[in-house]
Each structure stands twice: as C-alpha cells, then as structure tokens.
C-alpha cells in the first residue's frame, strides 16, 4: 500500500516517490498569533460568513498552532500536504473536507506557509506557493483520495484569514 501511494501522480509529472530530501520539510510546526484586539465574536461572525460552521467563540481565542505534515517543492512551487486516514465513501472527498473542517485547516496551513515564504524570500513570495494537497490514504489507491487545492483558487480566502488574524 505504502509504495502504491507514493507512486501515484498527485501533480502533473510529480510523485512523492521522486521527492528529494532537500526539497521537503516534514512536520513543520507553526504558531499564528491573533491581533491583540481581535474580537472573538467578530471572528466567529466572519468565519460563519466564509461558511465555517460549528465554530464557537471559545475555539477562536489566542493563538493558532499546528503542524504541517509535509512542506515540499514540486514543479517550482511550494506545496503543503496533509495525510488523512479517514474512511471515505466513493466521490466523497469534497463533502468530507467541508464536514471535517479541513477547509479551515488548509487555509491556516497556507497562511503559515505564506508567512514562512515571506520571511525567507520577502514580499511577493506567495507567488511560489502552489497550494494544498489532502491525501486520503485509504482512498488514494482507488484513485479517489487526493484533494488538490491550488493556491490561486483560495488566495482570497487566505488573505481574509490573515486580515482576521493580523500580522
């Protein structure tokens, strides 16, 4: 199973099997701080407008911390990858991403990756950001377990999250 998962073409002309050690960073930890005067109520309201349902004010205070499973370079772009072991029904990736709040998670991951690139490469570094990949291992071998989210498709939502959090 492991070899078949690593051999899948997840991006054009790219398989994880071909990823060189110098082009990846595993378990990249991050900490995103919030604005000092961020209103939890205002954040929860804006989050609801973005379709993030089920969040409470208590879940939105202080810092956002996390660990990106894999940060890597492929085809000249920086990508994040999150491994998932959820059991998925046929063609259920998009719905499951929303129900499990993975849409919030990948925006936080992309905001963290964007800040990392900006710190290392300066302003405009987000042009190197490829996007997010959610890899559902149990469905991948059947060809239904990878969600590819190009950065340009979600850039505006990342920007909104960054504005909500502050610099």
């Amino acid at each position: 199973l492991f070899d078949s998962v690593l051999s899948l073409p997840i991006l054009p002309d790219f398989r994880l099997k071909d990823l060189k050690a110098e082009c990846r960073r595993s378990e990249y930890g991050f900490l995103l701080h919030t604005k000092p005067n961020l209103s939890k109520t205002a954040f929860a309201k804006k989050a609801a407008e973005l379709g993030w349902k089920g969040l409470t004010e208590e879940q939105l205070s202080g810092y956002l911390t996390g660990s990106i499973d894999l940060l890597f370079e492929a085809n000249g772009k920086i990508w994040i990858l999150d491994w998932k072991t959820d059991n998925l029904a046929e063609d259920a990736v998009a719905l499951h991403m929303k129900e499990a709040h993975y849409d919030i998670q990948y925006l936080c991951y992309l905001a963290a990756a964007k800040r990392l690139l900006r710190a290392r490469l300066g302003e405009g570094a987000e042009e190197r950001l490829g996007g997010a990949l959610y890899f559902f291992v149990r469905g991948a071998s059947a060809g239904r377990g990878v969600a590819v989210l190009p950065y340009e498709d979600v850039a505006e939502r990342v920007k909104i999250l960054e504005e909500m959090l502050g610099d």
Side-chain angles (χ1 to χ4, degrees), residues 9-70:
I10 58 173
L11 293 170
D13 301 319
F14 180 78
R15 300 174 304 168
L16 287 171
K17 184 178 186 173
D18 302 326
L19 185 60
K20 296 180 180 145
E22 63 269 14
C23 294
R24 68 174 172 81
R25 181 156 179 199
S26 300
E27 297 300 324
Y28 174 72
F30 65 88
L31 179 69
L32 299 174
H33 66 283
T34 62
K35 294 178 187 178
N37 59 349
L38 178 65
S39 157
K40 292 186 286 181
T41 302
F43 190 97
K45 182 179 178 186
K46 189 67 167 178
E49 288 174 21
L50 290 170
W52 301 346
K53 298 182 184 341
L55 297 179
T56 65
E57 289 183 19
E58 293 77 33
Q59 294 171 301
L60 301 169
S61 62
Y63 292 86
L64 295 173
T65 185
S67 179
I68 298 171
D69 290 344
L70 185 64

Side-chain angles (χ1 to χ4, degrees), residues 140-155:
S141 60
R144 65 173 196 276
V146 181
V148 179
L149 307 148
Y151 180 70
E152 58 268 11
D153 291 355
V154 296

Side-chain angles (χ1 to χ4, degrees), residues 1 5 84-88 135-145:
L1 175 67
V5 166
K84 297 295 181 194
T85 57
D86 309 37
N87 233 344
L88 298 178
F135 205 100
F136 293 89
V137 179
R138 293 181 188 184
S141 60
R144 65 173 196 276

Side-chain angles (χ1 to χ4, degrees), residues 73-140:
E73 183 177 3
N75 303 327
K77 298 281 188 179
I78 305 298
W79 292 84
I80 64 166
L81 183 140
D82 199 47
W83 298 104
K84 297 295 181 194
T85 57
D86 309 37
N87 233 344
L88 298 178
E90 188 74 33
D91 300 324
V93 173
L95 178 62
H96 188 69
M97 291 281 296
K98 194 78 166 158
E99 289 176 349
H101 298 297
Y102 294 151
D103 55 334
I104 300 168
Q105 185 182 40
Y106 70 71
L107 292 177
C108 292
Y109 286 2
L110 287 170
K114 184 177 171 183
R115 288 182 184 190
L116 171 70
L117 289 175
R118 194 173 26 213
R120 297 214 174 158
L121 304 174
E123 288 299 320
E126 64 270 5
E127 293 173 13
R128 296 246 359 249
L129 202 50
L133 296 163
Y134 271 65
F135 205 100
F136 293 89
V137 179
R138 293 181 188 184

